[in-house]
Amino acid sequence: YIGDVRDVSSVRGAVEGVDYVFHAAALKQVPSCEYFPSEAVYTNVLGAENALNAAYDAGVKTFVGVSTDKAVAPVNVMGMTKALQERLVIQSNLRAGSPRGVAVRYGNVLSSRGSVIPLFKDQISKGAPLTITDSEMTRFLLTLDEAVDIIVDAIESGNRGDIFVPSAPSANMVDLARLLSGKENPEMVFI
């Protein structure tokens, strides 16, 4: 079903007759959200509210909101909007007859679209310097299987209002750049 999370009637059509909603629609790239904060609010906050309202209207059993580690003490627009999404999911449980609302919060899924590994691979293939925010920058990394497992855990054992946070290893981005480039000192630009 193709639709627009910003359009509640579109979302209503998508959730009709379903038992579980996995809300993963988001503007998730930090720079895009910084440059266009209202777009981040429309998608990440109001889109989540549309999905929650549509799930309520359709009698959905469980609503799982997919969030990010950036929602904890957020310092950027993306993190702020995802923190608001989490609160909407938690608050939705107060509504009589609402779906069980739970959230999952994790870091970067390895090789997912927009993540650092495809970015570094693209820069390496072009012979371009690897762009890193800061030399001390780290990222929590999960495999796709681990990301799916946390969602399954939320469905199987989540109580209303729970936020599931997996234990994920962090990696220093300079170390990751070295590993992917195969060089001890690849050309890096700290942005």
Side-chain angles (χ1 to χ4, degrees), residues 121-135:
K121 286 181 175 180
D122 182 58
Q123 291 171 337
I124 290 165
S125 73
K126 294 177 178 172
L130 303 176
T131 55
I132 301 174
T133 304
D134 181 270
S135 63

Side-chain angles (χ1 to χ4, degrees), residues 58-79:
V60 167
K61 293 178 184 175
T62 300
F63 183 98
V64 179
V66 178
S67 189
T68 174
D69 57 341
K70 292 170 188 65
V72 179
V75 296
N76 56 49
V77 172
M78 197 274 275

Side-chain angles (χ1 to χ4, degrees), residues 106-184:
Y106 47 72
N108 293 265
V109 178
L110 291 171
S111 296
S112 63
R113 187 178 59 199
S115 70
V116 68
I117 292 176
L119 171 67
F120 282 172
K121 286 181 175 180
D122 182 58
Q123 291 171 337
I124 290 165
S125 73
K126 294 177 178 172
L130 303 176
T131 55
I132 301 174
T133 304
D134 181 270
S135 63
E136 301 300 314
M137 185 73 166
T138 60
R139 289 275 190 254
F140 293 106
L141 302 176
L142 292 169
T143 66
L144 181 57
D145 286 344
E146 290 167 331
V148 170
D149 287 346
I150 193 73
I151 290 173
V152 171
D153 287 346
I155 294 165
E156 290 178 343
S157 60
N159 295 310
R160 291 177 172 273
D162 282 351
I163 299 176
F164 282 70
V165 182
S167 177
S170 66
N172 178 279
M173 292 299 95
V174 170
D175 293 340
L176 184 61
R178 288 180 179 136
L179 177 72
L180 290 173
S181 71
K183 299 177 182 175
E184 179 60 31

Side-chain angles (χ1 to χ4, degrees), residues 32-117:
S32 297
C33 293
E34 289 298 310
Y35 292 128
F36 304 101
S38 59
E39 299 300 320
V41 169
Y42 294 144
T43 299
N44 297 354
V45 180
L46 300 178
E49 188 171 45
N50 287 341
L52 283 160
N53 287 333
Y56 174 82
D57 292 343
V60 167
K61 293 178 184 175
T62 300
F63 183 98
V64 179
V66 178
S67 189
T68 174
D69 57 341
K70 292 170 188 65
V72 179
V75 296
N76 56 49
V77 172
M78 197 274 275
M80 291 174 196
T81 58
K82 295 301 274 184
L84 286 169
Q85 175 204 301
E86 285 183 3
R87 282 151 185 85
L88 288 170
V89 171
I90 292 166
Q91 179 264 333
S92 73
N93 289 289
L94 299 175
R95 198 176 191 182
S98 69
R100 173 180 54 141
V102 297
V104 296
R105 180 192 294 157
Y106 47 72
N108 293 265
V109 178
L110 291 171
S111 296
S112 63
R113 187 178 59 199
S115 70
V116 68
I117 292 176

Side-chain angles (χ1 to χ4, degrees), residues 14-31:
V15 300
E16 205 171 287
V18 303
D19 293 323
Y20 301 94
V21 170
F22 307 97
H23 177 62
L27 292 180
K28 65 177 193 155
Q29 293 183 328
V30 171

